[in-house]
Amino acid sequence: SSLATAWRIHNKHSHTFGLQRSAAGVLSIPRGGEIIQATTLEQIETILEENAEKLVVIDFTSKNCPPCKKVAPLYEELSESEEFENKVVFLKVDVDVNTDAVSKYGVTGWPTFLFIKKGEVQTEIVGGKLAEATLYDWVRLLMPKEEAKQE
């Protein structure tokens, strides 16, 4: 689709800026491309506690959901972007496996993406088309900013 193409072009430019920041001497431990499969509510709560200063994005998905499958490569691409390295943690929850998390967060449709900072849900995206169109922008908007890291 032209939307996906536009996102890829947009992401390539943003990705370049991320590389320039890294080259400018920002030291970080690489962890891009790591989507954590969260199989229990306890696992999610532990990850949220350990990453309170980062943005945590949770993708509630189902194996037999075509829109979920369609947006999965985009979510994976975001998790691999150096732009979000050490600032964003990406989780994936199978709604058929982790029913406790589905209940706790009141998820009624999928894909649903929750954006959590300091334990609080900041916003959510429900639906594949909306996710494809806005996922990158929400992650970029809500991730911790550079200024917050400097002491």
Side-chain angles (χ1 to χ4, degrees):
S1 84
S2 60
L3 196 56
T5 305
W7 181 86
R8 279 181 183 59
I9 291 166
H10 177 67
N11 186 47
K12 278 185 182 154
H13 294 297
S14 301
H15 191 70
T16 303
F17 293 132
L19 290 171
Q20 288 172 348
R21 271 200 306 274
S22 297
V26 176
L27 300 174
S28 60
I29 300 164
R31 57 166 288 135
E34 185 177 317
I35 297 176
I36 302 165
Q37 304 290 328
T39 55
T40 66
L41 181 57
E42 293 76 23
Q43 184 184 8
I44 293 171
E45 288 169 347
T46 300
I47 290 166
L48 288 172
E49 284 172 27
E50 291 173 353
N51 295 283
E53 298 307 312
K54 296 178 184 177
L55 172 65
V56 178
V57 184
I58 307 176
D59 172 12
F60 287 87
T61 186
S62 174
K63 285 179 187 69
N64 40 355
C65 158
C68 299
K69 287 187 176 94
K70 195 164 184 240
V71 77
L74 169 60
Y75 192 63
E76 193 171 318
E77 213 172 311
L78 291 175
S79 78
E80 292 169 354
S81 171
E82 288 193 25
E83 181 176 8
F84 304 131
E85 213 169 33
N86 299 316
K87 296 176 187 171
V88 184
V89 177
F90 294 88
L91 305 185
K92 189 169 279 221
V93 170
D94 184 327
V95 296
D96 301 312
V97 174
N98 195 342
T99 53
D100 290 343
V102 171
S103 297
K104 173 173 177 162
Y105 291 105
V107 174
T108 56
W110 29 91
T112 292
F113 293 87
L114 294 183
F115 298 80
I116 302 174
K117 281 168 88 171
K118 298 185 176 161
E120 298 291 321
V121 175
Q122 303 296 307
T123 193
E124 70 174 26
I125 299 174
V126 181
K129 286 189 176 171
L130 187 60
E132 281 185 280
T134 64
L135 195 56
Y136 169 81
D137 292 323
W138 277 114
V139 173
R140 189 174 162 99
L141 178 72
L142 293 171
M143 73 177 185
K145 304 299 179 251
E146 292 293 330
E147 299 77 41
K149 282 180 19 181
Q150 294 170 357
E151 295 177 17

